[in-house]
Amino acid sequence: MSSKLHKIPHFNSYDDIRVEMQNDLQYRLANRTDKTSFGRPLYYRINVQLILTQECPYNCPFCLERKNPMQGDNDFTAQIEALKKILSEHPNARLSITGGEPGLYPSHVSEIVDTYRQHSSNVFCSINTTGYSKSINGLAHINLSYNDYVHKNPGNFPNCTVQTVVENPTIEYIKDSMQMEADNFSFRFLSGLEKKDYPVEIWNDLQNDDDIDIHTFRIGDFFVYATFDYMGKHARLTLGDMWQQRNNDYKDGYSNIIIHPDGTIGTNWR
């Protein structure tokens, strides 16, 4: 299911989705053969995730970085050099600045964004934040974490996307959440390196709900997502299957590039 669809097919179980993930990976391995120094670029507009720091003033129990800490202290100079190296071969990359809490170091966030704009085609740059610092407003698109542990007012971050992690998203939960004073929402399944199965009812419910207008649906090598409108607001539901990503036979392929806090470049959480 490498192409984007405008409706969500019916799923009986998560096995249906996992089969499509495997098919997508095999398609990419067979058809995307251009090489770079990082391996085979399965996505020409790849996603670069820069983990600026592991530090965070909050203790959200589902945080993957806290459960599986990555090695290395913050080395901001090395992060910038790693980003330049990646962008020299992937100028159309999308960049996500995350953590930990990037807002702890707003001046470095600004330097990262400037580097991205100067060395890329400036496709899209976002910052994942708890809303710790308003000083990062305007630097890039804000994905504002919102849950039982962090819940800053979205009005403090104009045009942000309210981003929520959910164990088992339901239509009722999504509709209730979208009553909030914001125009863009992102709902993400709570994922884990050991978790192998997920509920599929939400995908069927989204397609069958008369109040939901589906825009796109896609299954990739380790992810599933749908974008849709509700009450004039836009939302995205995403499942990133970390077990699938870690255990697929990617050979020399990858679907993400990760810059760790010490500037090390990695792929696919390995």
Side-chain angles (χ1 to χ4, degrees):
M1 202 171 292
S2 294
S3 61
K4 294 180 180 179
L5 306 179
H6 297 293
K7 64 174 292 184
I8 303 175
H10 182 81
F11 296 110
N12 294 311
S13 73
Y14 192 65
D15 288 340
D16 295 345
I17 290 177
R18 182 157 278 138
V19 167
E20 293 296 336
M21 288 177 171
Q22 290 285 358
N23 290 341
D24 187 80
L25 174 63
Q26 294 310 312
Y27 167 81
R28 292 177 181 284
L29 289 171
N31 291 279
R32 304 295 174 86
T33 57
D34 293 345
K35 299 282 187 175
T36 73
S37 64
F38 304 107
R40 180 182 292 136
L42 301 184
Y43 294 82
Y44 291 109
R45 285 191 175 182
I46 62 166
N47 298 304
V48 177
Q49 178 174 309
L50 193 156
I51 304 170
L52 186 148
T53 180
Q54 289 178 290
E55 300 166 86
C56 183
Y58 301 100
N59 289 282
C60 303
F62 51 78
C63 179
L64 189 64
E65 278 73 29
R66 288 202 176 277
K67 288 186 177 182
N68 300 275
M70 299 171 188
Q71 301 302 310
D73 296 327
N74 304 338
D75 187 332
F76 294 157
T77 299
Q79 290 176 20
I80 294 293
E81 292 307 311
L83 182 59
K84 289 179 181 178
K85 177 176 174 60
I86 292 168
L87 295 177
S88 70
E89 299 192 52
H90 297 286
N92 292 323
R94 298 162 63 95
L95 176 64
S96 173
I97 303 169
T98 186
E101 172 49 60
L104 290 168
Y105 299 100
S107 62
H108 182 51
V109 173
S110 180
E111 184 179 4
I112 290 171
V113 173
D114 287 345
T115 299
Y116 174 73
R117 288 175 175 163
Q118 292 169 12
H119 292 85
S120 76
S121 301
N122 196 25
V123 174
F124 186 71
C125 180
S126 63
I127 305 167
N128 296 329
T129 179
T130 62
Y132 179 80
S133 172
K134 293 183 184 179
S135 61
I136 61 175
N137 265 337
L139 295 179
H141 183 78
I142 298 293
N143 293 321
L144 183 67
S145 294
Y146 195 97
N147 56 60
D148 291 339
Y149 305 90
V150 290
H151 36 77
K152 295 294 176 69
N153 183 356
N156 293 331
F157 296 87
N159 303 313
C160 73
T161 295
V162 177
Q163 186 164 271
T164 305
V165 177
V166 188
E167 176 78 35
N168 182 12
T170 64
I171 281 286
E172 293 76 14
Y173 178 87
I174 287 173
K175 286 184 173 181
D176 286 347
S177 298
M178 292 181 70
Q179 303 294 327
M180 192 183 306
E181 291 297 322
D183 293 327
N184 295 285
F185 295 82
S186 174
F187 302 94
R188 306 182 70 87
F189 277 79
L190 176 60
S191 184
L193 297 175
E194 307 304 324
K195 191 171 184 179
K196 298 182 182 179
D197 194 33
Y198 295 88
V200 297
E201 292 80 8
I202 184 60
W203 305 108
N204 300 329
D205 291 344
L206 281 173
Q207 178 59 43
N208 296 328
D209 193 295
D210 291 338
D211 296 328
I212 300 291
D213 180 19
I214 302 295
H215 285 206
T216 59
F217 176 75
R218 174 118 185 272
I219 298 179
D221 54 354
F222 74 94
F223 62 86
V224 190
Y225 75 81
T227 63
F228 55 93
D229 284 349
Y230 171 64
M231 292 176 47
K233 300 179 179 183
H234 188 67
R236 177 180 176 120
L237 175 64
T238 306
L239 165 60
D241 188 335
M242 304 307 296
W243 185 91
Q244 186 86 357
Q245 188 182 29
R246 196 178 197 185
N247 289 277
N248 269 351
D249 182 10
Y250 281 87
K251 299 181 175 64
D252 58 354
Y254 58 83
S255 49
N256 284 320
I257 292 181
I258 297 172
I259 301 175
H260 295 285
D262 64 354
T264 301
I265 299 172
T267 60
N268 290 318
W269 296 86
R270 294 189 179 188

